Amino acid sequence: MTCYQARQLLGSYLDGEVLEPAIVSEIEAHIADGEACAEDLQALTAMIEAVRTKAPYFKAPESLASRIRARAGLTSS
Amino acid sequence: MLVVPHLDSAFNLARWILKNDQDAEEVVQDAALRALDSIRSACIPGAKPWFLNIVRNASLDFLGRTNSKLTFKLEAEEVIADPRLANPEEQLVRPWQGKDVEAALNALPIPFLEIVVLRDLEKMSYKEIAEVTDLPVETVASRLSRARQRLQFSLAASEMVGGK
């Protein structure tokens, strides 16, 4: 596996979305052998963590569910 | 009710796409009523991707854009490699601020933004995201990879502009 190939797969690897065990093994072997790709993985991990923990999550207003229920003619969930 | 457990996810997605609370609320309410018109049942597996697909399409309709136009725009904006990304470890030394992350997300074209929101904020699988966005799973994976490249670029740039 080349560095270019590995970098294309790092995100999917972190997401647990590389489903073929052989490819997972190739990625892990490549990371273990290559400092640059290991650093890329570390940087990508940090960036994803920043998005997950620091991006705002816009919760629906509490009144929205009751309004939808009323409009739909429903009284309970 | 089928859609109520997913209202936060629906509102979050619509709010990121539309960037406005009132528009997001209106779109989600209309999408929920439309969804309820089409099916009324207890919670079922797959209800979330199904409902978010309706919300996503309603949000894009609200913006007055078509999928084909969005795709064309996306393909015309290929990621350009940035030399600063050759030193990704530099991005680890300082924590990013929430406002930088929000700005970087809002700078993404919607076809990238929606996939990051669905993956990293909604914790949906690539298969579920494919259902929401009507894309092949392979396209979801490649688009997410490119979106994250752009985010790294933007966050690195925000550090440089901020003089950190």
Side-chain angles (χ1 to χ4, degrees):
Chain A
M1 177 174 284
T2 66
C3 287
Y4 177 80
Q5 290 170 325
R7 284 175 177 143
Q8 301 306 306
L9 293 171
L10 289 181
S12 298
Y13 169 72
L14 285 173
D15 289 333
E17 293 274 359
V18 179
L19 302 179
E20 294 178 41
I23 296 179
V24 171
S25 298
E26 276 190 59
I27 294 170
E28 290 176 348
H30 184 85
I31 292 167
D33 284 345
E35 191 178 332
C37 285
E39 287 173 352
D40 281 352
L41 182 68
Q42 199 180 3
L44 184 59
T45 302
M47 192 279 292
I48 292 171
E49 183 65 14
V51 171
R52 291 179 180 179
T53 59
K54 296 184 177 178
Y57 189 94
F58 301 105
K59 295 188 75 169
E62 290 189 5
S63 59
L64 184 57
S66 55
R67 229 172 32 246
I68 290 168
R69 285 194 187 98
R71 289 277 303 272
L74 300 171
T75 55
S76 68
S77 60
Chain B
M1 195 202 295
L2 187 66
V3 301
V4 167
H6 308 301
L7 276 187
D8 282 343
S9 297
F11 186 81
N12 187 47
L13 176 64
R15 174 60 178 73
W16 275 106
I17 291 175
L18 299 170
K19 309 190 192 311
N20 177 287
D21 285 341
Q22 286 184 326
D23 292 346
E25 202 170 333
E26 183 180 328
V27 162
V28 171
Q29 178 173 306
D30 288 350
L33 292 170
R34 208 179 314 160
L36 290 168
D37 276 346
S38 67
I39 182 170
R40 291 172 184 256
S41 70
C43 282
I44 55 171
K48 182 174 176 179
W50 170 75
F51 179 41
L52 292 192
N53 173 260
I54 295 172
V55 170
R56 178 252 190 188
N57 291 334
S59 297
L60 296 180
D61 285 347
F62 190 92
L63 286 177
R65 298 177 183 172
T66 66
N67 288 326
S68 60
K69 283 179 183 172
L70 288 171
T71 301
F72 175 79
K73 182 182 178 187
L74 185 61
E75 290 171 351
E77 294 179 355
E78 287 296 326
V79 172
I80 299 170
D82 179 63
R84 283 169 294 192
L85 295 182
N87 296 306
E89 69 278 9
E90 290 179 4
Q91 297 172 29
L92 297 177
V93 299
R94 301 181 191 92
W96 293 297
Q97 303 297 312
K99 62 181 174 56
D100 297 326
V101 175
E102 183 175 3
L105 284 167
N106 277 325
L108 290 175
I110 288 170
F112 286 148
L113 171 65
E114 63 180 1
I115 289 178
V116 174
V117 169
L118 293 169
R119 174 61 207 168
D120 290 327
L121 300 185
E122 294 302 332
K123 312 288 193 297
M124 299 181 84
S125 69
Y126 289 13
K127 182 173 179 294
E128 290 173 321
I129 296 170
E131 289 177 42
V132 175
T133 56
D134 298 319
L135 293 169
V137 172
E138 296 76 17
T139 305
V140 169
S142 65
R143 206 170 272 189
L144 181 59
S145 175
R146 290 159 64 196
R148 285 170 169 167
Q149 279 184 297
R150 283 172 176 253
L151 285 173
Q152 286 185 293
F153 174 90
S154 293
L155 288 168
S158 72
E159 286 183 5
M160 296 181 74
V161 170
K164 295 175 186 175

